[in-house]
Amino acid sequence: MAARWIDGKALAAGILERVRLQRTALGARPLRLVSVYVGDDVSSAVYIRNQKRACERMEIRFDLEHLPATTTEEQLVEHLHALNHDDGVTGIILQRPLPPGMRQIRLQAKIHPDKDVEGLNPANIGSIVYGLPKLVPCTALAAVRCLKSTGVPLRGADVVMIGHSEVVGKPVAFLMLNEFATCTVCHIATQDLARKTRQADVIFTAVGKPGLLTGDMVKPGAVVIDIGIRQVPQLARDGTPLRGEDGQPLLRLSGDADFDSVAAVAGWVTPVPGGVGPVTVAMLIHNTIVAARLQQGLPIESALS
Ligand code: NAD
């Protein structure tokens, strides 16, 4: 069986189209996202660039505020406090990683829940647990949106979520419970992962280990949503690494799935790149509209219905 591809770019375009209508319904009031980035770690540079591009396309102002690595946690709390009270700010993003020693969870909790467009404030995580999601972590939302695009029935389905982070694995698991699926969450200490994945109608994987999920671990016809992202060397046919003109190894993005063997067995699969990634950025824009509506006391629309 050759799996059907879930086209993340097309899905993202559809989400943005719907969001555009909701944006128009909000009136002329400008929307503004502020992305706070502390220190010198550049690993989130690509993500920031994609966020900025998507905002510009939707006429949402995007401001990157770079604070020096010497910023103290209390100074950052003050900064977030000021953004919370600024009526001109629709949403706040706290870029990760934060400098060593800064307490991520404490800081995330300092962002007002209605401005928390990344959905990581404990109040927003709690809303998912209660089955009343408002602002949901963008990647978890994107992964479930990719699954829902297949139309595969979820009530009673067996789901395996590989990875148990607060950003992806845990929220996906609760979103699956909200659909009446039976979800098994696996992680680094899980024994015999393959025995669990072989039972699953749906497999999400968010680990960052290329080749973790192979075709022999997948039930024929299952849906595989690959959230992992890792840069790996590009190889020539004989297996030797390819190099650019500058002699540096050429890199490509890989997910957790061994794509060819998984696609030969699965019913549906997300490619990497071009799967969950573009949908994640679209969900940030969706969340910005949700934030604006929450701040105006308006009803919100789910990205999953
Ligand atoms: P994380 O790095 O915080 O945690 C990794 C998880 O994988 C943990 O639950 C760990 O227990 C589990 N794990 C590690 N080795 C394992 C193994 N051998 N078997 C089973 N489980 C194992 O996770 P994260 O922040 O959720 O990121 C996971 C991946 O998703 C990364 O590759 C990251 O780049 C990617 N990601 C993608 C997007 C996107 O938009 N597509 C967004 C966020 C993260």
Side-chain angles (χ1 to χ4, degrees), residues 285-296:
I285 305 295
H286 164 84
N287 275 354
T288 306
I289 303 296
V290 171
R293 293 184 72 86
L294 288 169
Q295 288 157 40
Q296 293 181 34

Side-chain angles (χ1 to χ4, degrees), residues 47 96 139 142 162-169 186-190 193 205-209 212 226-230 254 256 276-278 280-281:
Y47 189 42
R96 293 174 299 280
T139 308
I162 314 174
H164 77 316
S165 70
E166 281 73 32
V167 187
V168 186
C186 301
H187 43 69
I188 186 76
T190 296
L193 180 64
T205 178
V207 174
K209 283 198 178 154
L212 176 77
D226 192 349
I227 303 156
I229 305 177
R230 180 60 75 88
S254 170
D256 292 341
V276 176
T280 298
V281 179

